Each structure stands twice: as C-alpha cells, then as structure tokens.
Amino acid sequence: MKILVAVKRAIDYNVKARPKSDGSGVDLANVKMSMNPFDEIAVEEAIRIQEAGNASETIAVSVGPKQCQETLRTAMAMGVDRGVLVETDEDVQPLAVAKLIKAVIDKEQPELVILGKQAIDDDSNQTGQMLAALLGWPQGTFACGVALADGKLEVRREIDGGIQTINLTMPAVVTADLRLNEPRYVKLPNIMKAKKKPLDVLAPAELGIDVTPRLTLVKVAEPPAREGGVKVEDVQQLIDKLRNEAKVI
C-alpha cells in the first residue's frame, strides 16, 4: 500500500501573527515558518502505518512557494520516503489545493491519503473534505485513532458527543485530529539523510489546474482587546447587568 500525506508551510505555532499595517494580509516578514502541527500528526501516522508493515511507501506533498521544500524535507527527516512540491507563489485557496492534490493522487495512485484536519493559519478545515468529494472516496475526518484490518480502515473520530467509530473501504481520505498521536522528535542524522531523498517539483499548469483565487480578501485586522471584568456584590446585581448592560437575558 502507498500512503500520500499532505503538509502545509504555516506560521510557527509559537509566533504571534500580526496583520500588515495596511490590513492587506498577515505580515510574514522575518517570521518563523514551520510545518502545520496537524499535518505533522498526519505525517507521524503515515510513518507508523509504514513501520507496522502495512505500507510500502509514504509520499509527502505540499502546495506553495519554493520554501515549502524545507517543510517537505522535515517530513522526510521524520521518515517519509519522498516528496512532491506543487510550486506556486499564488495565494492558493482550499478548493485549488484539493484539486492539485487530486492531480498528484491521479499520478501516484495511493490507497490512503492523510491530511491534518485544518491549518492553523486560515483554520478553513475544508481541504480534506473537498479532496474526498473530488475523488469520490470515503472519508474519516477528525481522526483520533486509525487501524487497518482485513483491507478496511477503522477510524475513530472525535465528535461533540464523544468518539464515533467508522469503517472505511480503501482507498480513503483521513484527516488527523490533535489526539491521533504525538509526532516524533527529528534527529540530526535523519535531517542529513532527508537532504538526499528525492523531491519532485511540479507546476499547477503541468497538472492542468487553475489556481486563480475565487475569494477576495477584504481586510485583516486584530480582534478588539478584551475589556477587564468587574465584580458584583450579589446575584441581583449580576442579573441587572446581564439584563440591562449585556442584554443577554
């Protein structure tokens, strides 16, 4: 079985994102970038499946500028066999990403595709679901557990009411949630080995996909600062404030 895992280059989760002074977008100048944390979990799961003897090859794919090669090298340092970069400087939106990944899937023919449930920069939570729809494959989103048995995939999903268990026929799409696993620490020797692993670079035009944005970004701004709280003397004063100031009752 071949596994394809999608990774995105995003602002590091330890960095506070700031809008540009003109509100035209997020300021990325001199900002540390790293692999989207949910995608890192997806990579770890793909590697664990391979290490268990259930996959013959793992492939990481990313969409974005040339710098995304660093993100793919990180995935390969974790244990992925090779990488594919669809290089573009356009602001690629979820539907275009899903179409590009589908085009790579058509070339590679994997039996399992794993993505992070969402990216921490735009929080869209759309690409995995769109990809499954485009492929016509079953999907298991928000996965906190994955198990292979008898050619089927058992996925445990985090839902509002607890944990839901579903069985998927292969090929399938899975999106990784936070509690699926804990990604491994990448050691220096593996980082050096990753530099020699194959990495293919494609252009959207080669895949026949138009990545022109369909949505227009109007403005990016920080949320308003929260006001300080106040203490009330008794329940009656609390009710009065909720009714007359907050107007929630």
Side-chain angles (χ1 to χ4, degrees), residues 97-161:
V97 173
K99 289 181 177 179
L100 290 168
I101 295 175
K102 178 185 180 296
V104 175
I105 290 169
D106 291 340
K107 289 167 65 72
E108 297 290 347
Q109 295 295 307
E111 286 77 38
L112 177 61
V113 179
I114 310 178
L115 310 87
K117 72 169 184 176
Q118 65 193 73
I120 61 171
D121 50 5
D122 58 17
D123 274 336
S124 292
N125 181 21
Q126 295 174 337
T127 304
Q129 293 89 329
M130 288 176 170
L131 176 62
L134 291 170
L135 290 166
W137 290 5
Q139 59 179 302
T141 56
F142 313 116
C144 62
V146 174
L148 284 160
D150 301 325
K152 291 191 175 182
L153 191 68
E154 181 185 277
V155 179
R156 288 185 290 114
R157 304 179 59 238
E158 293 199 6
I159 59 174
D160 290 342

Side-chain angles (χ1 to χ4, degrees), residues 28 68 143:
L28 300 179
C68 289

Side-chain angles (χ1 to χ4, degrees), residues 8-224:
K8 182 177 183 179
R9 179 176 181 264
I11 295 177
D12 189 87
Y13 68 93
N14 287 313
V15 175
K16 177 177 171 58
R18 298 185 183 279
K20 294 180 180 178
S21 57
D22 60 359
S24 62
V26 177
D27 188 3
L28 300 179
N30 301 315
V31 172
K32 182 183 178 183
M33 308 291 283
S34 60
M35 187 188 300
N36 176 51
F38 290 106
D39 295 341
E40 195 173 5
I41 294 169
V43 170
E44 175 66 26
E45 193 64 25
I47 296 168
R48 291 188 184 189
I49 293 172
Q50 186 179 26
E51 290 175 341
N54 294 318
S56 58
E57 185 180 29
T58 50
I59 307 163
V61 60
S62 188
V63 177
K66 184 177 181 180
Q67 292 88 335
C68 289
Q69 291 190 25
E70 300 172 11
T71 308
L72 289 168
R73 293 293 179 193
T74 300
M76 287 187 276
M78 290 175 68
V80 169
D81 296 314
R82 58 188 176 94
V84 177
L85 171 62
V86 182
E87 187 175 330
T88 175
D89 291 322
E90 287 276 0
D91 180 21
V92 188
Q93 295 170 352
L95 180 58
V97 173
K99 289 181 177 179
L100 290 168
I101 295 175
K102 178 185 180 296
V104 175
I105 290 169
D106 291 340
K107 289 167 65 72
E108 297 290 347
Q109 295 295 307
E111 286 77 38
L112 177 61
V113 179
I114 310 178
L115 310 87
K117 72 169 184 176
Q118 65 193 73
I120 61 171
D121 50 5
D122 58 17
D123 274 336
S124 292
N125 181 21
Q126 295 174 337
T127 304
Q129 293 89 329
M130 288 176 170
L131 176 62
L134 291 170
L135 290 166
W137 290 5
Q139 59 179 302
T141 56
F142 313 116
C144 62
V146 174
L148 284 160
D150 301 325
K152 291 191 175 182
L153 191 68
E154 181 185 277
V155 179
R156 288 185 290 114
R157 304 179 59 238
E158 293 199 6
I159 59 174
D160 290 342
I163 303 295
Q164 177 190 48
T165 302
I166 59 174
N167 289 304
L168 307 178
T169 55
M170 308 279 276
V173 175
V174 172
T175 68
D177 210 330
L178 185 65
R179 280 158 288 278
L180 179 58
N181 60 54
E182 184 176 343
R184 66 194 64 192
Y185 177 77
V186 180
K187 298 179 180 178
L188 181 59
N190 292 335
I191 295 174
M192 302 306 293
K193 290 177 184 177
K195 294 180 179 180
K196 297 181 180 179
K197 290 185 178 182
L199 195 160
D200 298 327
V201 180
L202 305 172
E206 292 179 58
L207 301 173
I209 305 298
D210 179 13
V211 296
T212 303
R214 294 169 176 247
L215 303 176
T216 301
L217 179 63
V218 178
K219 185 179 180 182
V220 175
E222 289 195 53

